[in-house]
Amino acid sequence: MSPTPSKKSADAAAAAATATQARSSATGLGGGGGGAGMRLIVPLQGVVQGRGGLVLGTLIPCALFYFLQFYLRRNRSPPPTSPQPPAANGPDLPGIVRSSSRNFLSARGSSGHAAVSSRAASIARSGDSPYFVGTKKCSEDPYHPVDNPDGVIQLGLAENRLSLDLIGDWLARNVTDTLLDERQGGLSISGLATYQPFDGLVELKMAVAEFMGQVMQGSVSFDPSQIIMTAGATPAIEILSFCLADAGNAFLVPSPYYPGYDRNIRWRAGIELIPVPCRSTDNFGLSIPALERAYNQAKMRGVKVRAVLFSNPSNPVGNLLHRETLRDLLDFVTEKGIHVIADEVFAGSTHGTEDFVSMAEVLNTDEFDRSRVHIVYGLSKDLSVPGFRIGLIYSFNEHVIAAASKLARFSSVSVPTQHLLISMLNDTKFITQYIKTNRERLRVMYALLVNGLKQLGVESVKSSGGFYCWTDMSKFMKSYSEKGELELWKEMLNVAKIHLTPGTACHCIEPGWFRLCFTTLTEKDVPVVLERIKRVVDNH
Amino acid sequence: MAKKGVPLSEMATSDTHGEDSPYFVGWKVYDENPYDAASNPSGVIQMGLAENQVSFDLLEDYLEQHPQEFGWGCGVSSFRENALFQDYHGLKTFTRAVALFMEQIRGGRTQFDPQHIVLTAGATAANELLTFILADPGDGLLIPTPYYPGFDRDLRWRTGVNIIPVHCNSSNGFQITLRALEDACAGAESMKVRVKGLLLTNPSNPLGTTITRPVLEEILDFVAHKDIHLISDEIYSGSVFSSDEFVSMTEIVESRGHQERERVHIVYSLSKDLGLPGYRVGTIYSYNNEVVTTARRMSSFTLVSSQTQKMLASLLSDKEFTENYLRTNRERLKKRYEFVVEGLSNAGIRCLQGNAGLFCWMNLGELLEEPTVEGELSLWNLMLHEAKLNISPGSSCHCLEAGWFRVCFANMSQQTLEVALMRMKDFTEKMKAKQMISSL
């Protein structure tokens, strides 16, 4: 595997080399096969995040860096075709690799010829990132209370197992009727034979719209005709990105943010993500002045910001945005003439005392230009069915709806799964009970973990939603730095045998924050987790 | 599209989605006035949709006999793990079943390693994914014409990749020639477009023919010489009328001791052969580890529902069922094809000699007012609005010879097909009469 360039030269050559702007200066690939068809992509945009524009001084180190790597590459043998790193939950979190260290793109194929695209090459290298290392350890040595009590405990996966039994019971009660009922279309082949709209069956859109209204506690209703169903929220975000911005443009994203955005939005759509730091002193709340600063800095660099993307409830922090903040945000994007994307996938997974306010609700009651507002939602989190791939775009913009409905063809929801969900969602009595019970179980688990951590001297941000707590472990770091944080993370993984998500993966600018997911635990596991953490805490 | 309010991306406002082409316009006309034997006997008959409905009864029988399989196999307790399962490696039982099925289609002549299978939500996604992986924006993909109209959208829209047509013609039954490939490459070079790969559809859509072994060999030599990739879209491989007439690119690769395999990638799907387009099950099979790894990660944008995987795993692993299904399906398609060709022949219409697929490639050149795209489209329009038949004009498929049309026959009942053929006959007789009169 290629060595990651040193941070210094990486910063100097830091790139958000986007798809359209990348050009290869390749030796010819045609003729006489088997040539070392090597392609090097010159970083064209010097982006040192938040620190200013395209500094001329980066060009020279950039060029030197380029030539050094070119030289090194030519004299090294091709990488072996090694076994692929396992990804038990590949789609969830990508590598912790910071954008600046992913700048070096080389598209040499493993056999030295018929190279792949630069887009492909950039991601092929992220296989040995810390995240994958952690996940690999979890799958190789998974904790089990009876069979493997010393195994690695996975706290890095935002997956909800707390209420699966409820859904399992529903299926047991309804499976034969629902699934095999010819009249309902169920799984009977003829019902699935005909050409289906790629953006989802009307019945599913209606059922989901109803569900969303329920989940957001009846404060707003959703219109099925504004829904585009997609195979999960991951493609929903990507499709929206393709619709709202061109490659090379940027989104402002309050940080810390969900690590998956980096891959989902940068990779193929070629859109830059500009983190807008939120601070612990503000309880990691969204700051309009910070957005304003980031917007202006981007402008100075000649980067066009097209949207603000934020999650609410926040991942990884878990806080909810207040109505006033949402209004201020709408004012901001209106003033700048840009879009806003509200990722509300955890809307139904609130466990605190605060009420969740959807962007849709604010639009309902206030006079704002709706055509700039887009919501991402799905059933992976709130209904615990990530495997079924049910996500959606909810937009107030008819042109986005038109384009997205065509793009949904690349990421459609499987029809038998749609039928299953239609039945389940239409059982409103079950759904109401499920939402309520699930929230209660989240609340109990959250409290258990957070209180236990508190007793160890680990404080968490007060949060009201999501599957995790956002904890401050900075006092246990050897140095107050990114390096210190990663060392602590490694210690947690190797000594405490717990896999957590470090703040650097989420672009948090304050080192020492970690996200711990509690939804894959049972109540009995919590003391075990706390004891493990204590091992590391005691060492400091 | 007029830009209102906050601007959208170029991509959202371009028309690369191609849905203004006749191919899609015809569908809309059909949607507004669909034929139904009982309730709307004068409606439009859809002959532009390549879907397979001839073997549903086999699937329905299976479902009846094995209700458990379609309801989470070993019981509801396994639901939990299934509902949470979003691993892009796919369910082991399922990828194994897909590999087995693909082997069966090829009569066991090649082997598929389940670890090299990448699942995607349909072949549409598989083709787009491979394009993203093998080519950068501005690069070119060679595609022999005539080709599936959807490629213009699927392979170009988000990827920014160009399609370089490799023109084939009726002089040799539209077979791909080395000359055509070389010409296409030269053309790309002159436009300063870097060619990254060749995409074949075998069996061909819209021709309904399989590519012969010698031509496949020639093609593999060509891509090796040019050092480019080869995508072989084999989604109709289970719909070849005689199983021994299909040669998969995998067979060529294996016969050469796996030389050149790093550049070969197969696309498959259950939508055509099994008639399950709604299930959204597609797959990429590549011998190239880097492509497999990357495709797998990229498949996060287009995963197959775990429920669907579980449901189909047992069906596809049931050798008795699949053998019977494949054999019966082939026979029925062959019968349909022969029935259609005969019906068309009675109407004085010639077809290309086909041996696969869900459609036939017919020639209405004699009926054109002028041998041009305009002439072809005007005939197509007449057929749509007068004969109330939606067929696909060759120009949508980038065929350079005017007058060829693709007509689908497997997406309707036998009765509907008979009605359609009668309408075709009436229409051609009317057109010929008109021609005779106007030439007097």
Side-chain angles (χ1 to χ4, degrees):
Chain A
M1 279 291 183
S2 65
T4 36
S6 75
K7 185 143 198 321
K8 196 166 166 203
S9 53
D11 278 337
T18 59
T20 50
Q21 292 179 318
R23 297 280 180 273
S24 65
S25 51
T27 48
L29 287 178
M38 197 163 58
R39 295 159 44 123
L40 295 168
I41 311 301
V42 181
L44 288 185
Q45 268 187 306
V47 173
V48 182
Q49 292 174 355
R51 277 198 270 137
L54 182 59
V55 179
L56 203 60
T58 64
L59 287 182
I60 295 170
C62 170
L64 285 175
F65 169 67
Y66 169 93
F67 286 117
L68 177 65
Q69 291 292 339
F70 185 98
Y71 174 77
L72 288 176
R73 292 232 142 213
R74 286 189 71 167
N75 292 312
R76 202 163 12 128
S77 52
T81 50
S82 50
Q84 308 313 321
N89 34 272
D92 201 76
L93 297 175
I96 287 171
V97 178
R98 305 271 283 180
S99 59
S100 58
S101 55
R102 254 214 315 266
N103 64 16
F104 187 71
L105 306 169
S106 169
R108 183 155 58 139
S110 57
S111 51
H113 58 85
V116 296
S117 67
S118 56
R119 270 186 289 227
S122 73
I123 216 72
R125 260 160 199 72
S126 65
D128 42 22
S129 74
Y131 168 74
F132 280 108
V133 167
T135 304
K136 192 172 172 199
K137 291 216 165 165
C138 287
S139 59
E140 284 169 356
D141 181 19
Y143 166 78
H144 186 276
V146 176
D147 304 332
N148 190 17
D150 287 323
V152 181
I153 304 183
Q154 170 70 286
L155 297 182
L157 191 54
E159 195 178 79
N160 184 6
R161 289 174 179 257
L162 301 179
S163 309
L164 277 180
D165 58 312
L166 300 177
I167 303 204
D169 290 344
W170 183 89
L171 282 169
R173 289 193 307 272
N174 297 276
V175 72
T176 37
D177 295 342
T178 310
L179 300 184
L180 305 178
D181 187 339
E182 298 248 344
R183 285 164 301 138
Q184 280 188 46
L187 285 181
S188 86
I189 301 300
S190 53
L192 302 160
T194 50
Y195 177 59
Q196 311 287 352
F198 284 117
D199 60 329
L201 298 170
V202 168
E203 297 91 337
L204 180 62
K205 291 186 188 185
M206 284 167 52
V208 168
E210 197 54 48
F211 179 70
M212 287 169 80
Q214 252 190 304
V215 141
M216 311 213 187
Q217 287 155 324
S219 55
V220 61
S221 67
F222 291 85
D223 180 355
S225 71
Q226 290 175 241
I227 293 178
I228 307 292
M229 303 296 309
T230 57
T234 298
I237 292 246
E238 200 202 24
I239 288 172
L240 260 182
S241 304
F242 272 113
C243 288
L244 304 181
D246 299 306
N249 294 157
F251 289 169
L252 297 179
V253 192
S255 64
Y257 63 76
Y258 165 54
Y261 289 158
D262 286 329
R263 179 199 57 196
N264 296 350
I265 298 168
R266 289 184 145 117
W267 196 4
R268 307 194 300 188
I271 293 163
E272 182 189 335
L273 296 186
I274 299 175
V276 181
C278 302
R279 300 186 177 277
S280 54
T281 43
D282 295 332
N283 231 37
F284 292 96
L286 180 74
S287 151
I288 302 292
L291 276 177
E292 186 76 52
R293 262 195 310 274
Y295 181 87
N296 292 331
Q297 278 167 0
K299 203 167 170 190
M300 276 193 327
R301 275 195 285 126
V303 170
K304 209 165 168 211
V305 170
R306 301 299 291 270
V308 173
L309 163 67
F310 72 102
S311 59
N312 179 30
S314 157
N315 180 3
V317 179
N319 49 13
L320 307 184
L321 268 71
H322 300 133
R323 195 181 302 269
E324 301 75 50
T325 315
L326 290 171
R327 278 203 213 105
D328 291 341
L329 183 54
L330 280 168
D331 278 331
F332 175 80
V333 298
T334 306
E335 194 224 325
K336 304 295 185 213
I338 61 179
H339 294 274
V340 61
I341 304 171
D343 179 351
E344 301 187 345
V345 294
F346 287 101
S349 302
T350 49
H351 50 72
T353 45
E354 282 178 80
D355 271 338
F356 171 74
V357 180
S358 165
M359 203 42 137
E361 192 186 326
V362 177
L363 281 183
N364 226 18
T365 54
D366 291 56
E367 285 297 309
F368 282 105
D369 169 22
R370 302 168 159 225
S371 69
R372 63 183 74 249
V373 178
H374 321 277
I375 296 175
V376 170
Y377 189 63
L379 301 182
S380 297
K381 306 297 181 186
D382 289 347
L383 208 56
S384 314
V385 290
F388 291 1
R389 314 312 302 153
I390 304 162
L392 63 104
I393 295 168
Y394 188 86
S395 178
F396 292 85
N397 186 313
E398 52 169 354
H399 301 290
V400 169
I401 292 173
S405 65
K406 298 186 178 86
L407 289 170
R409 73 188 330 100
F410 297 111
S411 307
S412 266
V413 184
S414 184
V415 168
T417 305
Q418 291 193 51
H419 281 295
L420 175 64
L421 263 306
I422 288 168
S423 296
M424 194 186 292
L425 293 174
N426 282 336
D427 188 343
T428 40
K429 196 162 149 221
F430 163 71
I431 292 292
T432 310
Q433 188 59 39
Y434 174 87
I435 295 173
K436 183 157 164 266
T437 311
N438 183 45
R439 280 200 169 113
E440 181 56 29
R441 292 179 182 180
L442 286 171
R443 195 189 62 75
V444 166
M445 207 51 116
Y446 174 80
L448 257 180
L449 186 61
V450 165
N451 291 335
L453 286 171
K454 200 175 181 141
Q455 310 211 325
L456 291 177
V458 178
E459 293 293 333
S460 311
V461 165
K462 179 166 184 338
S463 91
S464 305
F467 297 162
Y468 32 76
C469 51
W470 184 242
T471 61
D472 184 2
M473 301 208 184
S474 54
K475 58 170 104 138
F476 309 118
M477 297 191 302
K478 290 205 179 80
S479 65
Y480 189 75
S481 63
E482 196 180 305
K483 182 163 177 272
E485 182 186 290
L486 280 173
E487 274 174 10
L488 181 59
W489 174 81
K490 267 188 217 147
E491 206 182 333
M492 283 292 178
L493 184 61
N494 297 320
V495 173
K497 298 186 87 179
I498 304 184
H499 181 223
L500 330 158
T501 307
T504 40
C506 309
H507 301 268
C508 184
I509 64 164
E510 295 177 32
W513 291 88
F514 289 81
R515 187 191 76 169
L516 274 75
C517 296
F518 53 77
T519 45
T520 50
L521 302 172
T522 64
E523 290 186 31
K524 291 206 193 87
D525 295 328
V526 176
V528 179
V529 169
L530 293 171
E531 187 270 326
R532 300 276 190 94
I533 293 179
K534 196 164 187 298
R535 287 184 208 168
V536 169
V537 163
D538 284 348
N539 281 349
H540 297 266
Chain B
M1 193 187 285
K3 290 187 193 181
K4 297 195 183 111
V6 196
L8 301 185
S9 63
E10 288 293 323
M11 223 215 54
T13 48
S14 80
D15 53 11
T16 317
H17 52 73
E19 293 194 10
D20 304 320
S21 86
Y23 182 76
F24 297 104
V25 166
W27 285 20
K28 288 189 198 132
V29 173
Y30 162 76
D31 282 337
E32 286 160 11
N33 182 19
Y35 170 84
D36 181 277
S39 59
N40 190 16
S42 61
V44 177
I45 297 182
Q46 171 68 290
M47 302 191 89
L49 181 58
E51 271 189 3
N52 183 3
Q53 294 178 20
V54 306
S55 307
F56 275 142
D57 56 315
L58 300 177
L59 289 168
E60 275 168 344
D61 288 345
Y62 186 85
L63 169 57
E64 241 175 89
Q65 285 152 30
H66 304 86
Q68 306 300 71
E69 272 69 18
F70 276 31
W72 280 285
C74 41
V76 160
S77 56
S78 66
F79 157 81
R80 288 185 209 203
E81 290 314 314
N82 188 254
L84 295 175
F85 185 85
Q86 49 175 337
D87 182 349
Y88 52 39
H89 287 82
L91 262 181
K92 271 216 177 84
T93 48
F94 185 61
T95 50
R96 229 180 300 138
V98 171
L100 271 174
F101 189 62
M102 288 172 76
E103 281 174 8
Q104 259 190 306
I105 287 176
R106 291 157 184 75
R109 296 185 294 273
T110 49
Q111 300 232 290
F112 288 92
D113 177 359
Q115 303 211 343
H116 282 255
I117 285 185
V118 178
L119 298 173
T120 60
T124 298
N127 281 319
E128 196 207 25
L129 218 95
L130 276 175
T131 306
F132 267 119
I133 290 173
L134 304 177
D136 285 307
D139 287 343
L141 215 57
L142 297 169
I143 307 192
T145 67
Y147 62 74
Y148 163 56
F151 282 158
D152 288 328
R153 170 199 55 213
D154 298 346
L155 307 179
R156 295 186 319 154
W157 195 5
R158 298 195 293 189
T159 63
V161 171
N162 298 304
I163 293 180
I164 315 283
V166 177
H167 287 295
C168 305
N169 59 65
S170 57
S171 65
N172 67 346
F174 292 94
Q175 288 187 80
I176 301 162
T177 63
L178 192 55
R179 175 68 190 274
L181 289 167
E182 297 282 5
D183 284 349
C185 274
E189 223 170 294
S190 69
M191 289 190 295
K192 303 260 190 293
V193 171
R194 191 197 339 268
V195 173
K196 292 310 296 286
L198 167 65
L199 187 147
L200 289 180
T201 308
N202 179 29
S204 159
N205 175 9
L207 299 175
T209 55
T210 54
I211 303 182
T212 64
R213 184 181 288 270
V215 175
L216 289 172
E217 301 264 11
E218 208 169 44
I219 288 171
L220 190 56
D221 288 335
F222 173 81
V223 300
H225 174 71
K226 293 287 184 189
D227 194 23
I228 60 178
H229 289 277
L230 175 60
I231 302 173
S232 184
D233 182 341
E234 302 187 349
I235 62 172
Y236 293 101
S237 48
S239 304
V240 182
F241 308 153
S242 276
S243 62
D244 52 4
E245 288 186 18
F246 173 64
V247 179
S248 166
M249 198 42 106
T250 54
E251 294 176 56
I252 310 293
V253 163
E254 284 194 17
S255 71
R256 293 185 185 199
H258 289 268
Q259 223 186 0
E260 301 307 339
R261 71 178 191 175
E262 295 284 309
R263 61 179 83 253
V264 175
H265 322 282
I266 311 292
V267 168
Y268 187 60
S269 144
L270 300 183
S271 300
K272 308 298 182 184
D273 292 342
L274 273 187
L276 299 174
Y279 280 52
R280 308 316 300 144
V281 177
T283 158
I284 293 171
Y285 187 86
S286 175
Y287 296 95
N288 183 319
N289 281 327
E290 189 177 0
V291 171
V292 169
T293 310
T294 312
R296 210 163 257 151
R297 292 194 178 134
M298 218 184 254
S299 70
S300 307
F301 296 111
T302 184
L303 294 175
V304 178
S305 165
S306 54
Q307 181 221 354
T308 303
Q309 292 187 50
K310 184 122 196 200
M311 216 165 66
L312 294 176
S314 39
L315 177 134
L316 283 185
S317 317
D318 187 329
K319 267 201 153 171
E320 205 191 303
F321 168 76
T322 51
E323 257 174 46
N324 178 49
Y325 180 91
L326 286 171
R327 187 185 45 242
T328 312
N329 185 47
R330 284 184 181 123
E331 282 166 11
R332 291 180 182 180
L333 287 175
K334 183 170 190 213
K335 274 212 190 87
R336 276 281 170 111
Y337 173 79
E338 285 166 352
F339 180 73
V340 171
V341 167
E342 198 191 316
L344 291 175
S345 168
N346 286 343
I349 300 173
R350 294 179 296 115
C351 289
L352 177 72
Q353 175 91 6
N355 63 344
L358 312 175
F359 32 74
C360 60
W361 186 239
M362 70 178 185
N363 187 300
L364 297 180
E366 292 177 344
L367 301 182
L368 298 188
E369 275 186 23
E370 41 176 83
T372 60
V373 174
E374 289 73 29
E376 181 184 285
L377 288 179
S378 126
L379 181 66
W380 167 80
N381 219 5
L382 272 176
M383 188 160 287
L384 180 61
H385 291 106
E386 283 192 14
K388 300 272 198 325
L389 294 172
N390 179 38
I391 59 180
S392 310
S395 47
S396 300
C397 307
H398 301 271
C399 182
L400 283 190
E401 292 176 31
W404 290 91
F405 294 80
R406 184 193 76 170
V407 73
C408 298
F409 55 71
N411 61 316
M412 61 191 82
S413 67
Q414 181 78 12
Q415 292 77 12
T416 309
L417 192 56
E418 285 167 21
V419 173
L421 289 171
M422 226 165 22
R423 288 191 190 178
M424 191 83 73
K425 185 156 191 275
D426 289 342
F427 179 78
T428 52
E429 278 169 4
K430 238 195 335 201
M431 291 296 296
K432 284 189 174 144
K434 248 206 273 192
Q435 274 181 336
M436 250 200 312
I437 292 170
S438 63
S439 68
L440 288 174

